[in-house]
Amino acid sequence: MLEKVDLTMKMEKSEYKAKMTALKLQMGKLQRQCKEMGLPIMIVFEGFDAAGKGMQIGKLIQSLDPRGFEVFTVKEETKEEAMHPFLWRFWTKTPQRGRMAVYDGSWYIKVLSDRFEKKMRESEIENCYRSICSFEKQITEDGTLLIKLFLDIDQKEQKKRFDKLMESKDTAWRVTKADLKKNEKYDQYQEMIEEMLQRTDTEYAPWTIVEATDRRYATVKIYTVITQMLTAGIDNRRREIARETAAEVIREAEKEASENRSLIDGATKGFQESVLAKVDLSLCCDRKTYRKKLKEYQKKIEKLHGELYQKRIPVVIGFEGWDAAGKGGAIKRLTEKMDARGYVVNPTAAPNDLEKAHHYLWRFWKNMPKDGHIAIFDRTWYGRVMVERIEGFCTQEEWKRAYKEINDMEKDLADAGAVVLKFWMQIDKKEQEKRFRQRQENPEKQWKITEEDWRNREKWEQYEEAVNEMLIRTSTEYAPWIVVEGNDKYYARLKVLETVIDALEKRISKK
């Protein structure tokens, strides 16, 4: 892509002033429209060092309401960031709907500077590109407008700008040894950039090359491209709103139809017969054996937890299951002997307004553990393909694409060294009713049972279909589902503990 760029492009001052007057007014107007329509914007500035990214960001934000944007400067990872999957720090910086995030550098640091400086192995490159493309596809499919700009200058111009900066002690600090090395090996670095542009120039997140030798020309081009893309994004959002309004009527009809069991097709029944129907819920454990094994397993968990911390291995454990299936009890026994400083249990409820204003995975990415720590989720991101699917809180297109989005997220966690385990706590309908009634009759446990729990029982078959499909589509080698036979609580708790112990021991032995 870069070989076709004409870096001699220039613009006279008079033409620059005339164009910028109109572009600045348009930029402010478009920002207000994006806010009104709830359109999230991400603008990425990448480019050669000294190409003017910082200066161009400064020019851009002069036309924006400072209450509606945030600028992020991406440099080397902090210690905290380095202890998470590399996309964690970018997921946590994605804007909520109606706001704008501007990035001076971005997630591309991994395949550019880090790769050039050999801070990552070449064997990691493929996974890194997969993660980047998956990230960009997920946020754009969720409605974010992603604008990617690459500022291009040649080797001679870069050296000239470095020399000028180094002439003054006030600016010399801005030129590092790494910068000079990239200029010295400009062709080698350019090859990496070319590969990056080609592999990540997609329909949903295209690159715009900005000829940055002449600063006036570059500024006008950046403004022009951003205003054009914002205009197109607003037009698309208007059409989406119109479609969503019409789709709401259709969803209500589909929801009603889906509750009619006669509409279940043979393919879906095939899912039902393939997983949950085969679970042996008669498995049980006597009280004496349970107490003995519980003590033994918890002692092992306590020891393994310390080893995880020493070896800096992160662990993600998700619990899903029927209401009253024993998730809370299993989590309590799992964590009882752990060091409380080294784990967090994240209960997942309906998303709040801030969480709704982001991609649905945002709130889970925020709570992923750093190296050596454990994150336990009492209900998880799988709500997208269960409750949100069944209750019509998302579109069919959204929950269908969620399978891949979730698999990609879990792959990112595993690639970063995390142990990822997911438990489905399985009980039958009769056992659930028994437990519901026990809760209702016990004053200390009445808070655990709600009218919604009883209503959900009426949709048991629909949830069963969704669960079976979820288990099949998202159980992977790197993030397996473990179905726990839960009619007997003792058996279920021991199986969870035994499974976690086995997974942690295997992982620690490989470290």
Side-chain angles (χ1 to χ4, degrees):
M1 295 173 71
L2 296 179
E3 75 277 1
K4 301 295 184 182
V5 177
D6 182 1
L7 294 177
T8 65
M9 300 295 289
K10 292 186 177 182
M11 181 173 289
E12 295 299 324
K13 192 173 184 179
S14 57
E15 183 183 2
Y16 170 79
K17 285 186 174 181
K19 287 181 178 292
M20 286 303 294
T21 299
L23 285 168
K24 284 182 177 181
L25 289 172
Q26 181 73 352
M27 186 70 74
K29 178 183 176 183
L30 290 169
Q31 183 196 19
R32 291 190 293 275
Q33 290 178 346
C34 289
K35 180 182 178 182
E36 291 169 5
M37 304 189 77
L39 180 62
I41 311 295
M42 295 171 67
I43 304 177
V44 171
F45 282 80
E46 285 288 357
F48 285 100
D49 296 314
K53 296 188 293 294
M55 184 270 291
Q56 294 296 350
I57 290 172
K59 292 276 188 183
L60 173 65
I61 63 177
Q62 287 174 10
S63 304
L64 301 174
D65 183 338
R67 296 169 297 181
F69 71 84
E70 189 168 359
V71 177
F72 299 102
T73 301
V74 178
K75 297 185 180 293
E76 288 187 14
E77 291 177 318
T78 63
K79 287 184 178 180
E80 176 73 14
E81 290 167 344
M83 294 180 77
H84 287 88
F86 94 92
L87 281 174
W88 173 83
R89 63 168 167 160
F90 302 109
W91 266 106
T92 56
K93 293 178 177 63
T94 54
Q96 66 188 76
R97 306 194 195 286
R99 289 186 59 83
M100 182 182 294
V102 181
Y103 303 85
D104 180 3
S106 67
W107 40 96
Y108 288 100
I109 190 173
K110 200 76 170 176
V111 293
L112 293 178
S113 293
D114 287 359
R115 182 182 184 184
F116 179 80
E117 294 168 22
K118 300 189 185 308
K119 293 180 180 178
M120 63 180 301
R121 298 186 296 272
E122 284 295 313
S123 60
E124 297 176 301
I125 296 297
E126 284 301 319
N127 278 338
C128 198
Y129 274 120
R130 179 200 59 77
S131 295
I132 287 171
C133 290
S134 173
F135 170 61
E136 293 182 349
K137 197 168 194 297
Q138 288 180 33
I139 59 174
T140 53
E141 285 186 336
D142 191 56
T144 296
L145 178 59
L146 177 58
I147 302 172
K148 301 189 301 188
L149 307 165
F150 187 89
L151 277 59
D152 190 18
I153 55 176
D154 62 25
Q155 185 177 19
K156 184 177 179 181
E157 177 66 20
Q158 186 185 51
K159 182 65 165 62
K160 174 184 168 184
R161 294 184 184 186
F162 282 163
D163 289 343
K164 186 174 182 179
L165 289 169
M166 290 189 293
E167 285 175 2
S168 170
K169 64 180 182 180
D170 293 330
T171 56
W173 62 271
R174 293 170 57 186
V175 183
T176 66
K177 290 182 179 179
D179 295 334
L180 295 174
K181 185 177 180 181
K182 288 176 191 171
N183 180 257
E184 179 186 340
K185 298 187 176 182
Y186 182 93
D187 291 343
Q188 179 183 339
Y189 191 57
Q190 187 180 47
E191 285 182 14
M192 293 181 182
I193 291 170
E194 187 70 49
E195 180 183 355
M196 178 272 288
L197 293 172
Q198 290 178 1
R199 295 185 68 164
T200 60
D201 184 47
T202 59
E203 182 182 357
Y204 51 85
W207 279 104
T208 296
I209 309 299
V210 179
E211 301 85 344
T213 303
D214 181 80
R215 290 184 169 89
R216 286 194 290 266
Y217 180 88
T219 302
V220 170
K221 181 165 183 178
I222 288 168
Y223 261 78
T224 301
V225 168
I226 292 176
T227 54
Q228 287 174 346
M229 294 188 74
L230 290 181
T231 300
I234 290 168
D235 290 343
N236 287 336
R237 181 63 186 138
R238 284 198 183 102
R239 288 191 288 269
E240 285 173 6
I241 291 172
R243 286 197 298 268
E244 287 169 2
T245 302
E248 184 63 30
V249 178
I250 297 172
R251 278 204 299 273
E252 285 301 316
E254 288 178 343
K255 182 180 176 182
E256 183 178 350
S258 66
E259 292 172 358
N260 185 341
R261 298 308 303 151
S262 65
L263 296 180
I264 300 174
D265 60 25
T268 307
K269 287 182 179 177
F271 279 123
Q272 180 177 344
E273 293 168 0
S274 63
V275 184
L276 296 183
K278 296 180 180 179
V279 177
D280 183 1
L281 292 176
S282 67
L283 293 171
C284 59
C285 175
D286 64 81
R287 187 179 182 84
K288 183 178 179 181
T289 302
Y290 168 71
R291 287 187 169 182
K292 179 183 177 182
K293 288 286 187 182
L294 178 64
K295 186 176 181 180
E296 175 190 337
Y297 289 166
Q298 286 184 333
K299 189 173 181 180
K300 283 186 179 180
I301 289 285
E302 183 180 14
K303 178 177 180 293
L304 290 168
H305 192 198
E307 292 182 35
L308 290 171
Y309 181 78
Q310 292 174 15
K311 294 180 180 292
R312 292 293 187 264
I313 299 171
V315 180
V316 177
I317 304 176
F319 284 86
E320 290 284 359
W322 300 105
D323 294 326
K327 296 183 293 299
I331 292 171
K332 181 179 179 181
R333 274 69 183 182
L334 175 63
T335 60
E336 219 159 23
K337 300 299 180 181
M338 286 184 184
D339 186 332
R341 297 167 296 178
Y343 74 88
V344 175
V345 177
N346 302 283
T348 301
N352 59 35
D353 289 343
L354 177 60
E355 292 165 343
K356 287 179 182 177
H358 286 84
H359 191 286
Y360 75 96
L361 289 176
W362 174 80
R363 62 172 171 156
F364 300 108
W365 268 106
K366 281 181 61 185
N367 293 321
M368 289 304 172
K370 60 184 178 182
D371 292 351
H373 289 246
I374 297 175
I376 298 170
F377 293 87
D378 182 0
R379 298 208 181 276
T380 69
W381 40 96
Y382 284 97
R384 188 67 157 188
V385 295
M386 288 192 292
V387 64
E388 292 184 39
R389 166 184 173 174
I390 300 300
E391 303 299 335
F393 297 150
C394 65
T395 66
Q396 185 179 72
E397 179 185 1
E398 286 172 333
W399 66 255
K400 281 190 172 181
R401 72 169 181 249
Y403 296 118
K404 184 178 188 307
E405 293 172 341
I406 288 169
N407 284 338
D408 285 347
M409 180 185 74
E410 292 172 354
K411 182 73 162 62
D412 286 337
L413 296 172
D415 286 346
V419 176
V420 184
L421 296 172
K422 302 170 307 194
F423 292 98
W424 174 262
M425 310 298 287
Q426 175 67 7
I427 57 176
D428 61 33
K429 203 171 181 179
K430 183 178 179 182
E431 177 65 23
Q432 186 189 59
E433 182 180 9
K434 172 187 169 186
R435 294 183 186 184
F436 277 7
R437 297 200 181 283
Q438 287 175 342
R439 288 179 176 184
Q440 280 188 327
E441 294 165 5
N442 186 340
E444 294 181 2
K445 292 188 177 182
Q446 284 175 354
W447 62 272
K448 288 187 174 185
I449 185 75
T450 66
E451 288 300 318
E452 185 179 352
D453 295 329
W454 286 106
R455 285 196 300 270
N456 287 341
R457 272 179 61 81
E458 297 173 7
K459 299 178 181 179
W460 180 283
E461 288 77 13
Q462 290 173 262
Y463 275 98
E464 195 168 47
E465 295 161 19
V467 170
N468 276 296
E469 186 168 2
M470 172 192 78
L471 295 174
I472 288 173
R473 293 186 184 277
T474 60
S475 189
T476 59
E477 184 180 356
Y478 51 84
W481 274 107
I482 301 96
V483 177
V484 179
E485 301 83 348
N487 271 14
D488 181 83
K489 291 182 178 181
Y490 292 161
Y491 179 88
R493 292 167 186 172
L494 292 180
K495 179 169 180 175
V496 168
L497 287 170
E498 189 174 16
T499 303
V500 172
I501 289 168
D502 183 60
L504 298 188
E505 286 180 339
K506 286 180 179 177
R507 181 67 179 83
I508 288 169
S509 68
K510 295 178 182 178
K511 188 72 172 179

